[in-house]
Amino acid sequence: MGKEGLSPELLHNLATYAGAHVATTPGIKVSINGHFASIHAVQPDRYTSRLPRTAGVVNLKTGRAIASGTDRVELEADAKSVYWLRLNDPALPGR
């Protein structure tokens, strides 16, 4: 947003303080619904994203289950990397 605008960190802190659902920290863009997550890493880092519910998580690019029965997903992401994740019923992580 530029030097005079609100920084991503300030907006993150304000939303957290206000009690809003905050999916992750600044540096990553996340779109999530009950069955799908699209994650775009702007900066390289290790990120933890909160899911809207407990789920099994499958990486749609590889087809591999990456988590089971969790409400969070952790990714070691390169800059400009994109992840598409399917959120399954927690009892069905790899389907």
Side-chain angles (χ1 to χ4, degrees), residues 7-88:
S7 71
E9 292 80 10
L10 178 59
L11 291 173
H12 174 267
N13 292 341
L14 288 170
T16 301
Y17 181 76
H21 175 83
V22 178
T24 192
T25 57
I28 193 167
K29 295 181 180 183
V30 179
S31 296
I32 299 176
N33 66 28
H35 304 284
F36 178 78
S38 176
I39 300 174
H40 178 198
V42 178
Q43 302 169 358
D45 206 342
R46 181 170 189 84
Y47 294 100
T48 300
S49 295
R50 289 181 29 205
L51 303 176
R53 63 180 177 87
T54 300
V57 182
V58 176
N59 180 328
L60 290 175
K61 183 176 180 181
T62 66
R64 297 178 67 191
I66 60 171
S68 179
T70 186
D71 66 348
R72 299 173 190 277
V73 65
E74 292 188 18
L75 296 170
E76 186 74 38
D78 297 322
K80 300 181 182 177
S81 58
V82 176
Y83 300 88
W84 290 346
L85 308 174
R86 184 176 65 225
L87 309 180
N88 290 337

